[in-house]
Amino acid sequence: MSEQFDQLRATEYAHLDAGGEVYLDYTGAGVYSQSQLRHHHERLAARAYGNPHSENPASAASTALVEQARGDVLRFLNADPAEYAAIFTANASGACRLVGEAYPFGRGRDLVMTFDNHNSVNGIREFARRAGARRRYVPLTAPSLRIADDDVRTALRRRRGLFAFPAQSNFTGVQHPLDWVGRAHDAGYDVLLDVAAFLPTNPLDLSTVKPDFVPISWYKVMGFPTGVGCLVARRDALARLRRPWFAGGTIAAVSVGSEWHQLAPDETAFEDGTLNFLDIPDVSYGLQWLTRIGREAVRSQVAALTGDLLAGLSPLTHGNGRPLVRLYGPPDTAGRGGTVAFNLLDPDGVVVDERLVAAEALAEGLSLRTGCFCNPGAGEGAFEIGRRVLRGMRGWGVRTVDDYLKVMGVPTGGAIRVSFGVASTTRDVTRLLEFVAKTYLDRTASAEGLAPRLRC
């Protein structure tokens, strides 16, 4: 199987190697293929496409391709069009906002979230707060940073509302049980399943797992196009949402004098303004491209590379026998995806500042990620920051990330994250392991001269 991906890398993804760089941030963004770029150019060069909100040849051409893309998205997820709708957004964050602003939070409708949600999901709590709904987080369990089934069951016992969790943590790579969706439904909850980190290397079958809301960023799945996402939603769940405003493209009719409006009767009621009609058709081609490569093949390749990296990092020790690497999350590939988070330690056990690692990786041509990855709950779990300390933060004058770290008593603002995808090969793992060993073995940690942290 590795030969298949070596060939892909040499042909369709040769631009990754053009400058001798190594790309290891697939959870941040996927990588486009040469075929995707050619298809995009050829399509736009063949004819003119116009605003879909019209009836003329250019508009009709755009509308046909947008509707084809809707159908392709649902087929890719094995979702019945009679049960699910595909709503185009700018990204997964925009999809989460659509749900948060329109969900009927209030007394009797709570928001339950897992501790390791991405901030795009965490932000929904502000809509719940304004509506007077209760908010509850399901905690992580050390050291694997998984979530106990009993804690999920306990959190869903009270009342009803919206339960939001990631199919795969974008911090640790932990994959949560998808049968939580059915359990939440049985308890009277709607479910938002964040698949942004999961979908690029794992199939999702909506004929068997039936969340109500599924936010997606397509650039994370296939690298191109950016600026196009989806909210895939059950039609009966959409009917329970109440949009707080309307915009161009969302209404069937509107009056200024009487301040009356009627939203469109279908999913277009949630698509504000003019869609990105020049790029949405690229979603169709990208999904076909991934299908031809083989979803199971991609998953197997990524799992093998993840295992190789874990096996290579775990035994690294300094000359005095102390470990060089502190891993976060599961120590093996069971129940996890192709994302690995860790910190580097010096011979005295001091954490090497992740800003230094970022700078030195940049100089070596390694594209990896450092920080908390927009996932503060997983970071708080990884660094073992107690909830009692966190509750008192508001009164401590915390204004910056460095203030936060000082109050928390933790030595670093985050971790190092490496993630694999469709164009990854064993050479990438080898380059990373060589960099870590060459640069940090038996070296004393120092953060002198580094700029202040600007964000988590």
Side-chain angles (χ1 to χ4, degrees), residues 140 216 346 377:
L140 297 170
I216 302 169
D346 80 355

Side-chain angles (χ1 to χ4, degrees), residues 328 342-344 350-359 369-373 383 385 398-416 445-456:
Y328 301 114
F342 59 96
N343 277 121
L344 299 175
V350 176
V351 175
V352 179
D353 195 294
E354 84 282 355
R355 292 171 296 175
L356 179 63
V357 178
R369 184 80 176 268
T370 61
C372 75
F373 326 124
F383 307 136
I385 302 172
V398 174
R399 297 181 182 276
T400 67
V401 176
D402 286 314
D403 289 342
Y404 169 85
L405 297 175
K406 184 177 180 180
V407 169
M408 296 300 102
V410 295
T412 180
I416 303 156
S446 173
E448 293 183 7
L450 292 175
R453 296 175 179 87
L454 299 178
R455 64 179 66 190
C456 180

